[in-house]
């Protein structure tokens, strides 16, 4: 009974961290700050002013590698709970080079990018023990860095803005072994996430390939098995219209709260914010060696892009049997 209660408390903490900080925090922080200033202006105004000064001072940090804090990455209690909840582990298929920098393609996006967070943002997963000398980074929507507290947690975990400037900053570090993880499909792919479906938006995503060629950075395909099983999406009676609305919100505000159904924290039948407990594992593929071409042609880009797509499909096909995926189930690149 005591063990079950402890597990329930862990789930509560995990839900408060992900659901609260990522879904509900922005409007509540804004409303709460305004209410506090109105009620107790003298007490809260200096705190808001200090944070506003810090915000302006660090506003460009997500464009240049942010501020990773190794203690947080190794000891984040919420990420540890998440790992235990999903029975999470990383599957290593080959060593990654430490004499070159790398772009890591993270697939699928899912509704929360849980696999990428548990592997490349947090070191609780043990990724730095599996790959000695690897320095992990990740990128996310620029709009994520507009919200107080959320931006600091992201930056502590080595997350920066999804911009060419930031990616180049990481890849041009003199000390090699840097691996920057990108959810290449973005929110477009996230809106397609559903249990038993493996849609990967990749056919028209070639910008990361061009950067890899111009910088001589190796490409590493990664697939997070179980990512799409953690939540059921809310599609409604007009799914296309709903997706268009979400895409418009992302374009306007930089981020959009996902519409999802999970489990209820209290076991109620209509569901809630608790993710569905399923096994999530990140399979890291072998690096594709890339020679530096300062001015790649479209043919160079297309050939490397095709090689990357083939390697990702091969990674999925090789390992899907370990996760109960039917032999005829295919990954769909669109």
């Amino acid at each position: 009974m005591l063990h079950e209660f402890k597990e329930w408390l862990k789930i509560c903490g995990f839900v408060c961290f992900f659901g609260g900080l990522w879904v509900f925090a922005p409007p509540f922080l804004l409303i709460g700050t305004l209410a506090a200033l109105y009620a107790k202006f003298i007490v809260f105004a200096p705190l808001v002013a200090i944070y506003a000064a810090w915000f302006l001072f660090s506003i460009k940090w997500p464009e240049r590698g942010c501020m990773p804090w190794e203690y947080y990455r190794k000891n984040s209690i919420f990420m540890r709970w998440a790992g235990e909840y999903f029975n999470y582990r990383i599957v290593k298929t080959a060593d990654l080079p430490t004499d070159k920098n790398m772009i890591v393609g993270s697939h699928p996006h899912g509704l929360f990018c849980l696999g990428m967070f548990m592997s490349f943002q947090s070191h609780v997963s043990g990724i730095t023990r599996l790959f000695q000398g690897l320095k992990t980074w990740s990128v996310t929507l620029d709009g994520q860095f507009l919200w107080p507290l959320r931006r600091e947690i992201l930056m502590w975990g080595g997350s920066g803005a999804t911009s060419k400037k930031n990616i180049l900053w990481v890849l041009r570090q003199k000390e090699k072994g840097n691996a920057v993880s990108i959810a290449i499909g973005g929110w477009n792919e996230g809106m397609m996430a559903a249990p038993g479906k493996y849609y990967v938006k990749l056919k028209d995503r070639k910008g990361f390939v061009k950067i890899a060629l111009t910088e001589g950075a190796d490409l590493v395909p990664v697939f997070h098995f179980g990512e799409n099983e953690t939540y059921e999406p809310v599609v409604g009676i007009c799914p296309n219209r709903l997706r268009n609305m979400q895409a418009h919100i992302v374009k306007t505000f930089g981020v959009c709260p996902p519409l999802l159904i999970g489990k209820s924290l209290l076991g109620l039948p209509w569901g809630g914010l608790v993710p569905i407990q399923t096994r999530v594992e990140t399979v890291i593929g072998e690096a594709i060696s890339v020679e530096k071409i300062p001015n790649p042609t479209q043919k160079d880009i297309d050939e490397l892009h095709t090689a990357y797509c083939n390697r990702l499909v091969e990674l999925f096909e090789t390992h899907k049997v370990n996760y109960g995926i039917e032999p005829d189930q295919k990954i769909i690149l669109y």
Side-chain angles (χ1 to χ4, degrees):
M1 187 68 179
L2 181 61
H3 174 73
E4 292 177 354
F5 181 66
K6 286 181 178 179
E7 291 301 309
W8 185 81
L9 287 178
K10 288 182 180 180
I11 294 171
C12 289
F14 172 74
V15 171
C16 289
F17 181 69
F18 275 101
L21 192 63
W22 257 253
V23 180
F24 299 114
F28 277 106
L29 279 171
L30 181 61
I31 295 169
T33 300
L34 293 174
L37 286 173
Y38 178 78
K40 299 287 184 180
F41 181 81
I42 295 177
V43 175
F44 288 98
L47 296 178
V48 174
I50 290 170
Y51 186 83
W54 155 252
F55 185 95
L56 293 174
F57 174 75
S58 61
I59 197 167
K60 297 294 184 182
W61 286 17
E63 295 282 355
R64 54 176 189 268
C66 60
M67 53 175 194
W69 183 18
E70 194 59 27
Y71 178 83
Y72 166 79
R73 301 179 87 178
K74 287 184 176 179
N75 298 280
S76 172
I77 189 67
F78 297 110
M79 298 309 296
R80 190 180 302 278
W81 287 349
E84 293 175 2
Y85 183 74
F86 293 113
N87 195 23
Y88 180 77
R89 75 183 184 110
I90 293 174
V91 178
K92 176 181 178 180
T93 63
D95 289 325
L96 295 179
T98 55
D99 59 342
K100 294 185 72 177
N101 291 328
M102 291 152 278
I103 293 177
V104 177
S106 179
H107 313 277
H109 181 285
L111 287 167
F112 272 125
C113 281
L114 288 170
M116 188 170 79
F117 270 90
M118 290 190 289
S119 55
F120 281 82
Q121 222 232 11
S122 169
H123 289 169
V124 171
S125 61
I127 190 169
T128 52
R129 293 193 299 273
L130 284 172
F131 299 96
Q132 295 290 328
L134 187 71
K135 293 172 281 295
T136 63
W137 308 79
S138 58
V139 295
T140 185
L141 288 170
D142 297 13
Q144 300 273 28
F145 299 95
L146 298 177
W147 302 105
L149 301 183
R150 178 191 293 187
R151 66 190 299 271
E152 279 72 34
I153 290 174
L154 285 170
M155 291 195 290
W156 289 343
S159 288
T162 307
S163 66
K164 183 178 179 180
K165 181 179 179 181
N166 182 48
I167 295 169
L168 290 178
W169 186 93
V170 174
L171 296 178
R172 289 175 179 175
Q173 295 300 298
K174 291 182 179 179
E175 190 176 0
K176 302 301 180 182
N178 294 284
V180 55
S181 179
I182 309 172
I184 294 167
W187 187 234
N188 183 293
E189 183 180 294
M191 290 187 290
M192 299 291 287
K197 305 294 183 182
Y198 306 99
Y199 293 101
V200 173
K201 186 167 180 58
L202 191 56
K203 281 190 173 182
D204 61 347
R205 300 292 169 101
K206 299 183 180 181
F208 74 102
V209 175
K210 184 176 180 179
I211 292 175
L213 284 166
T214 56
E215 299 301 314
D218 286 359
L219 290 176
V220 183
V222 165
F223 200 91
H224 307 289
F225 287 93
E227 177 81 47
N228 285 351
E229 276 65 44
T230 55
Y231 284 101
E232 291 274 359
V234 176
V235 294
I237 51 179
C238 298
N240 290 334
R241 184 173 294 179
L242 182 62
R243 290 194 184 103
N244 290 337
M245 181 189 72
Q246 289 177 297
H248 177 72
I249 293 173
V250 170
K251 185 177 181 180
T252 305
F253 298 102
V255 65
C256 174
L259 300 177
L260 51 83
I261 299 176
K263 291 165 46 180
S264 169
L265 195 62
L266 302 175
L268 301 175
W270 48 79
L273 283 175
V274 180
I276 299 166
Q277 191 168 20
T278 185
R279 181 170 57 141
V280 178
E281 293 192 1
T282 294
V283 180
I284 300 179
E286 184 179 358
I288 301 171
S289 182
V290 178
E291 295 298 324
K292 184 173 182 176
I293 304 177
N295 297 296
T297 64
Q298 190 60 48
K299 182 182 177 182
D300 295 326
I301 296 171
D302 291 342
E303 287 179 351
L304 182 55
H305 183 265
T306 299
Y308 179 86
C309 291
N310 292 340
R311 188 69 67 84
L312 178 64
V313 172
E314 180 186 341
L315 188 71
F316 177 82
E317 290 294 328
T318 301
H319 294 273
K320 68 181 182 181
V321 66
N322 300 325
Y323 303 96
I325 300 174
E326 296 296 326
D328 60 346
Q329 179 75 61
K330 303 295 181 183
I331 183 174
I332 299 173
L333 307 185
Y334 70 101

